[in-house]
Each structure stands twice: as structure tokens, then as C-alpha cells.
């Protein structure tokens, strides 16, 4: 793994910084800063901006420069080239829906931590061979959900997860109750229609509700 002295935040800190990491799909650059500030006001400090839109990279840049008190990360990072690009844009961590040997090696040589995604034991073991102990479990509900994570905990008690995919207000607490889950990734606190209407106080309310009602770890 890359040396932690290079990092502004470690993988352990990313997952331990709060119960929910918002999976943010930003379609208008003008929404980036008010959305980040609304989440921060609700108690969310770690932000995952997915690389699914044309403005995502610029959103990382502008939030990194204009919003203090948050850790801005990039989601949907799938190649070494994307990892380099988000690092240059100001992301302090990266999250991938899966893993490849090339991506893991690029992250080990890079200057920001990567949280790779897994949905099987074999993928998990590949990541472990490269020194990783913190993973995104994706797509969580489709890949077996809480039952799968309980099963993984037996042979791999040292591995900690951030389940993402199908996580909602109705089920996130059941994931957070697991010893091998540090936090969850979810889009329910950043709904697209609420962002489109620029209802920032509603975003703050959803974030505060998620943080307040989460079980203590």
C-alpha cells in the first residue's frame, strides 16, 4: 500500500468518519458547493462524487477549493488513468465499484488511498494480496447483503467494508449493526430530484437524520 504519510486521510479514516458516505451524482456544476455545504451542515464530512457526469471532475475541484471541513473523494474510479485524473483534480481518496490488478498497483504507487469494490471472496483475496483491508461491498443487496457480510466475517474478521448498492433509510441500520461494516454508501440522502430543485435544507435534514439515527459503532 502507499505510505500513509502521503495521505490527507487514510482508508480507515474514510470509513470511520461517519455512518454514511453520500453517493453524489452532480449534473450541474453550480450545485456542487451548496450540496457539499448542505451535507456538512447535516454532519456528513466524507463526500463521494461519482464520475458519472461531465461536470464531476470540476465538481471535485471546486468543492476541494471552496468547502472547508470535508474530505472530497471520487467514486466510480475504474482505471489507473482515472485515478491519476481525480488525484490531480484534488480528490483525497478514490472508490471503485470493482478491482483490477492494474488499478490496485496504480493506487499503491499513487498519493491517495483507494477503496476498491468487491462482491466475491476471490476478489477480496486479490485485494488482500495487494495489502488492502478496507473495501466497498458492491452491489451490496444484489450480492447477498447482510447475510453475505456475516458469512465473510468468519474467515476474514480483519476486513472492514462499506456496503453500497441498494442501501436505503429502511435497511442501512441493519448493515451498520455488523462488526465488519464501518459505514454505508447511499444515494438516499442526496436524491436527484431534491438536488434539481435546490432544496438544500432538505439535504441537510436527510443527512442529519441518517447520522442521528445510525447505531453507535
Amino acid at each position: 500500500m502507499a505510505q500513509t504519510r502521503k495521505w490527507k486521510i487514510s482508508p480507515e479514516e474514510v470509513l470511520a468518519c461517519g455512518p454514511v458516505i453520500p453517493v453524489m451524482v452532480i449534473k450541474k456544476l453550480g450545485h456542487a458547493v451548496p450540496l457539499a455545504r448542505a451535507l456538512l451542515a447535516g454532519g456528513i464530512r466524507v463526500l463521494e462524487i461519482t464520475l458519472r457526469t461531465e461536470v464531476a471532475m470540476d465538481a471535485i475541484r471546486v468543492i476541494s477549493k471552496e468547502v472547508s471541513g470535508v474530505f472530497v473523494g471520487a467514486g466510480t474510479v475504474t482505471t489507473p488513468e482515472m485515478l491519476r485524473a481525480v488525484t490531480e483534480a484534488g480528490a483525497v481518496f478514490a472508490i471503485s465499484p470493482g478491482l483490477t490488478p492494474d488499478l490496485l498497483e496504480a493506487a499503491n504507487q499513487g498519493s491517495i488511498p483507494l477503496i476498491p469494490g468487491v462482491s466475491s471472496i476471490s476478489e477480496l483475496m486479490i485485494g488482500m494480496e495487494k495489502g488492502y483491508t478496507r473495501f466497498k461491498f458492491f452491489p451490496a443487496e444484489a450480492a447477498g447483503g447482510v447475510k453475505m457480510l456475516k458469512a465473510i466475517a468468519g474467515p476474514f474478521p480483519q476486513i472492514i467494508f462499506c456496503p453500497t448498492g441498494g442501501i436505503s433509510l429502511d435497511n442501512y441500520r441493519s448493515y451498520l449493526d455488523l462488526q465488519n461494516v464501518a459505514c454505508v454508501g447511499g444515494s438516499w440522502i442526496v436524491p436527484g430530484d431534491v438536488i434539481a430543485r435546490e432544496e438544500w435544507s432538505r439535504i441537510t435534514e436527510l443527512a442529519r437524520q441518517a447520522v442521528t439515527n445510525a447505531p453507535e459503532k
Side-chain angles (χ1 to χ4, degrees):
M1 295 288 290
Q3 296 178 0
T4 57
R5 70 172 182 267
K6 295 181 180 179
W7 298 339
K8 293 183 179 179
I9 186 170
S10 69
E12 293 79 9
E13 290 169 327
V14 170
L15 300 194
C17 206
V20 181
I21 297 178
V23 180
M24 302 162 62
V25 180
I26 299 176
K27 297 181 179 180
K28 293 183 178 181
L29 188 57
H31 290 163
V33 168
L35 176 58
R37 287 175 174 161
L39 289 164
L40 181 61
I44 301 290
R45 297 180 60 220
V46 173
L47 311 179
E48 176 190 344
I49 300 174
T50 64
L51 302 184
R52 303 180 194 174
T53 68
E54 293 181 357
V55 303
M57 205 71 74
D58 286 332
I60 292 171
R61 290 189 183 93
V62 71
I63 293 174
S64 297
K65 292 178 180 178
E66 297 187 20
V67 184
S68 60
V70 297
F71 296 103
V72 184
T76 325
V77 175
T78 59
T79 67
E81 292 76 19
M82 293 173 72
L83 181 63
R84 286 191 290 271
V86 301
T87 302
E88 292 172 0
V92 298
F93 68 92
I95 297 181
S96 177
L99 56 79
T100 66
D102 285 348
L103 179 60
L104 295 178
E105 188 58 35
N108 282 345
Q109 300 300 320
S111 59
I112 66 172
L114 171 72
I115 299 170
V118 298
S119 60
S120 71
I121 297 297
S122 296
E123 292 168 336
L124 176 62
M125 292 172 64
I126 291 171
M128 291 173 64
E129 285 181 351
K130 292 289 188 179
Y132 290 79
T133 62
R134 299 299 188 271
F135 294 89
K136 174 178 180 173
F137 181 59
F138 177 82
E141 283 287 278
V146 168
K147 290 183 178 180
M148 180 65 166
L149 287 166
K150 285 182 177 178
I152 292 174
F156 302 103
Q158 75 278 30
I159 303 301
I160 303 298
F161 295 96
C162 174
T164 306
I167 311 297
S168 68
L169 180 63
D170 294 329
N171 64 13
Y172 85 110
R173 287 180 293 271
S174 63
Y175 281 94
L176 291 173
D177 281 334
L178 300 178
Q179 291 298 311
N180 61 343
V181 170
C183 64
V184 299
S187 58
W188 87 90
I189 60 174
V190 283
D193 58 337
V194 177
I195 295 172
R197 294 194 297 269
E198 301 184 357
E199 296 177 355
W200 309 125
S201 62
R202 177 57 178 161
I203 297 292
T204 297
E205 179 185 346
L206 290 169
R208 184 175 292 120
Q209 181 185 41
V211 171
T212 302
N213 294 333
E216 293 186 6
K217 301 298 289 183

